[in-house]
Amino acid sequence: MAPDKPYADIPGTTIFDSDMARMGYHCNQFCMSLMKPENRERFKADEEAYLDEWPMTPEQRAGVLARDYKGLLKLGGNIYFLAKLFFTDEWSFEKAAAFQAGVPQDEYRTMMLAGGRSPDGNRYIGEQS
Amino acid sequence: MARITGGVTTSHVPAIGAAMDLGKTDEDYWRPLFAGYERSKAWMAEQEPDVIVLVYNDHATAFSLEMIPTFAIGTGERYESADEGWGRRPVPVVEGHPDLAWHIAQSVIQDDFDLTIVNEMDVDHGLTVPLSLMFGQPDAWPCKVIPFAVNVVVYPPPSGRRCYDLGHAIRKAVESFPDDLNVQVWGTGGMSHQLQGERVGLINTEFDTEFLDRFASDPEALASIPHIDYVREAGSEGIELVMWLIMRGALAPDAKEVHRHYHVPASNTAVGHLILENPR
């Protein structure tokens, strides 16, 4: 357990600290392996078989197969590593962001063009906007 | 002697590089962003630096969880643009400056900043997008580049104060290099953005504007901003702004802002850009 987590009260945010880096090690290193085109091809051909090579937890494995990015963040996945997985699916970062926000991509883009998500109401759990 | 003449800060959003590589810079979505860099390209053409010390962060490209250096200086002769999952960006190879890089490494380590020294690595969008923004799309980059990577992916990143002080040590190192070189220091990343979780898409224009306003004139105050304030106010990836403070520390206390650009959005990010010049 990390000694001090002053960031624990920020809503909708997982800081990739020592606990998460330890928990997510194999899951993130699996994602890293997708940087190589030959590994992307092998993964796409048989995801279950490819994942057998990586000693991640059953929850992480299910999260990868389901592309449950919000779930994977809580299981130690880091967004820059998970990006290798959604790039393999030919998703853009914008598409992945909209998916995490739970809105269609055009709606997310409209929000960003209007200045993005306001920090008001998003600084602390329970902050009123 | 080598001297630092000026510096650049800029966001390094990967989608900006993709827009340039795919010829989309005239699209309505991108035009206002690129318009703010026209003056910057003209400025670069006038300045003709010999070397850029380019502070950036690697995004799980050269450094996975296998090795996580807090500060890493590239002392190699050349660096290829990395394949980040979409193929390599079609940009020129980055030529290093091993003599100056090794000199900086020795000097700042002896000033108590314990750098990791890297001879072989690929460089990702964090380094190549700023080059594209400032130089356009030449056949070869017109100067040498010393990559300087900072860990802002795995908590804890170095503090703003540590980064600012490291900038001072880089200035001292460059100014003690015997060759007559025109050196720039760039700090990249930021501004407010969050790429993960339900709070994804967070932008804080007020925070960004104050950061830009104080960057040249009151960097001491910015160096005191703690990690938690960046995350809370500027998003989990807004912490990249500590890298700007390395650039600021490397420039003179009385460096002047000569250009500013701010635009929302590029994909998920608020784009901020400053040019500072040292007094002659």
Side-chain angles (χ1 to χ4, degrees):
Chain A
M1 184 74 185
D4 182 25
K5 300 197 182 206
Y7 40 80
D9 67 343
I10 304 176
T13 302
T14 306
I15 296 300
F16 191 66
D17 62 13
S18 53
D19 289 335
M20 303 314 279
R22 174 68 194 92
M23 192 193 308
Y25 181 70
H26 293 295
C27 181
N28 288 316
Q29 294 299 81
F30 146 72
C31 292
M32 198 71 197
S33 74
L34 300 177
M35 294 274 278
K36 294 198 170 123
E38 60 270 28
N39 288 345
R40 291 197 286 272
E41 290 314 310
R42 279 210 300 126
F43 174 68
K44 283 196 269 196
D46 188 343
E47 295 194 5
E48 297 266 9
Y50 191 86
L51 290 174
D52 285 343
E53 300 167 18
W54 296 90
M56 62 182 86
T57 68
E59 292 78 14
Q60 290 167 340
R61 181 189 175 100
V64 168
L65 290 169
R67 306 299 195 267
D68 175 14
Y69 291 109
K70 278 197 291 188
L72 286 168
L73 288 169
K74 293 183 170 55
L75 297 170
N78 173 280
I79 196 64
Y80 291 119
F81 290 81
L82 296 175
K84 322 301 183 197
L85 179 58
F86 61 68
F87 287 168
T88 298
D89 291 337
E90 299 187 11
W91 284 27
S92 67
F93 235 118
E94 185 185 67
K95 183 170 178 177
F99 182 78
Q100 294 178 82
V103 297
Q105 191 174 349
D106 58 351
E107 189 179 323
Y108 178 81
R109 179 177 275 221
T110 301
M111 175 185 84
M112 295 311 295
L113 284 166
R117 185 185 307 284
S118 171
D120 296 338
N122 285 309
R123 293 182 178 89
Y124 306 86
I125 292 170
E127 184 195 5
Q128 304 297 312
S129 56
Chain B
M1 300 296 271
R3 66 209 181 280
I4 295 173
T5 55
V8 170
T9 65
T10 181
S11 307
H12 57 217
V13 184
I16 295 173
M20 293 183 78
D21 300 342
L22 300 172
K24 295 180 174 178
T25 56
D26 278 336
E27 292 183 1
D28 288 347
Y29 181 91
W30 289 110
R31 199 181 308 116
L33 183 146
F34 288 106
Y37 288 88
E38 285 304 314
R39 182 153 165 233
S40 314
K41 286 191 277 187
W43 180 83
M44 282 309 304
E46 292 163 13
Q47 296 292 313
E48 298 186 320
D50 299 302
V51 189
I52 296 164
V53 179
L54 204 159
V55 181
Y56 73 110
N57 68 292
D58 178 85
H59 304 75
T61 303
F63 306 120
S64 67
L65 294 184
E66 197 174 317
M67 284 179 274
I68 307 160
T70 296
F71 295 119
I73 188 168
T75 49
E77 293 170 2
R78 60 208 308 273
Y79 311 90
E80 299 278 351
S81 163
D83 179 350
E84 300 179 54
W86 297 94
R88 294 177 192 273
R89 284 197 66 213
V91 293
V93 68
V94 173
E95 303 279 348
H97 196 300
D99 287 345
L100 178 59
W102 274 105
H103 172 85
I104 293 171
Q106 175 170 324
S107 178
V108 307
I109 290 169
Q110 288 179 329
D111 267 341
D112 299 334
F113 292 88
D114 306 317
L115 306 186
T116 297
I117 296 167
V118 181
N119 279 307
E120 302 283 345
M121 63 176 169
D122 287 349
V123 289
D124 73 11
H125 67 268
L127 184 131
T128 62
V129 166
L131 290 174
S132 297
L133 280 168
M134 298 301 291
F135 290 121
Q137 295 170 295
D139 293 332
W141 301 123
C143 64
K144 311 286 191 190
V145 177
I146 297 174
F148 196 106
V150 179
N151 167 45
V152 291
V153 172
V154 182
Y155 181 88
S159 70
R161 173 66 55 188
R162 185 72 175 155
C163 288
Y164 184 58
D165 291 347
L166 170 59
H168 296 335
I170 291 173
R171 179 167 76 217
K172 181 176 155 194
V174 169
E175 289 175 351
S176 64
F177 189 69
D179 293 3
D180 181 27
L181 292 176
N182 175 355
V183 178
Q184 291 186 357
V185 180
W186 294 9
T188 73
M191 296 191 83
S192 58
H193 65 304
Q194 176 151 338
L195 302 175
Q196 50 108 357
E198 290 87 345
R199 212 172 69 133
V200 68
L202 185 123
I203 299 288
N204 190 338
T205 298
E206 198 178 331
F207 178 95
D208 292 341
T209 303
E210 187 176 350
F211 199 93
L212 292 167
D213 285 346
R214 299 177 98 161
F215 190 75
S217 60
D218 192 11
E220 281 289 336
L222 299 184
S224 299
I225 298 174
H227 172 269
I228 184 67
D229 288 8
Y230 284 105
V231 177
R232 209 181 287 289
E233 295 292 333
S236 49
E237 280 63 60
I239 188 60
E240 289 179 352
L241 284 167
V242 295
M243 294 185 290
W244 288 32
L245 292 169
I246 297 177
M247 174 280 213
R248 186 65 192 91
L251 266 72
D254 56 347
K256 291 279 187 294
E257 176 183 327
V258 297
H259 180 53
R260 181 192 295 205
H261 179 45
Y262 183 74
H263 175 76
V264 177
S267 185
N268 307 292
T269 304
V271 171
H273 167 45
L274 291 171
I275 297 176
L276 268 58
E277 284 182 7
N278 272 349
R280 306 228 169 234

